[in-house]
Amino acid sequence: MDQVMPWWSGSSESWMDSPRPGWVRPWPTGLNGSPERLIVDLSGMLFCGSAGIGALIQARAKAVGQATEFVLVCSRLVSRPLELAGLLDLFTVRGSVQDVLERLSPE
């Protein structure tokens, strides 16, 4: 079963980099068990800095360890820093949750 998780605390248009402890979590809260696929929706994110990138890498590593596919839904505002850091190829990136779900549904 797929789970779509909003992953940050704050408004739908947020920055994923903050010195406040606990603001960027290394694993989405409310996750039940080990889903087949985790769709992390960061489509409203305006910025992803080093703390956000670190959290994404940690979450992906945990997902891989649980045999959970980690799909990142984001705009270029999030994917570009990953690309510049040479990390984009670690992630399955899609532009919308709808795009992910359409690719999964049988034709």
Side-chain angles (χ1 to χ4, degrees), residues 58-94:
Q58 288 178 27
R60 182 197 168 274
K62 184 168 183 174
V64 168
Q66 295 180 349
T68 297
E69 181 185 3
F70 189 86
V71 181
L72 186 59
V73 174
C74 63
S75 71
R76 192 85 173 123
L77 295 172
V78 173
S79 66
R80 181 68 176 148
L82 292 171
E83 181 180 27
L84 290 173
L87 301 169
L88 189 60
D89 290 341
L90 292 176
F91 298 92
T92 300
V93 178
R94 300 289 179 251

Side-chain angles (χ1 to χ4, degrees), residues 10-105:
S11 70
S12 61
E13 295 182 342
S14 299
W15 289 47
M16 195 172 180
D17 196 36
S18 174
R20 290 182 293 148
W23 190 80
V24 176
R25 297 182 293 276
W27 190 245
T29 57
L31 185 63
N32 300 319
S34 296
E36 178 182 332
R37 184 174 299 102
L38 179 62
I39 303 167
V40 180
D41 184 0
L42 298 178
S43 58
M45 196 62 56
L46 297 176
F47 175 80
C48 184
S50 59
I53 290 171
L56 288 172
I57 291 168
Q58 288 178 27
R60 182 197 168 274
K62 184 168 183 174
V64 168
Q66 295 180 349
T68 297
E69 181 185 3
F70 189 86
V71 181
L72 186 59
V73 174
C74 63
S75 71
R76 192 85 173 123
L77 295 172
V78 173
S79 66
R80 181 68 176 148
L82 292 171
E83 181 180 27
L84 290 173
L87 301 169
L88 189 60
D89 290 341
L90 292 176
F91 298 92
T92 300
V93 178
R94 300 289 179 251
S96 70
V97 172
Q98 185 64 33
D99 180 38
V100 176
L101 298 176
E102 285 174 0
R103 289 173 188 254
L104 296 174
S105 60

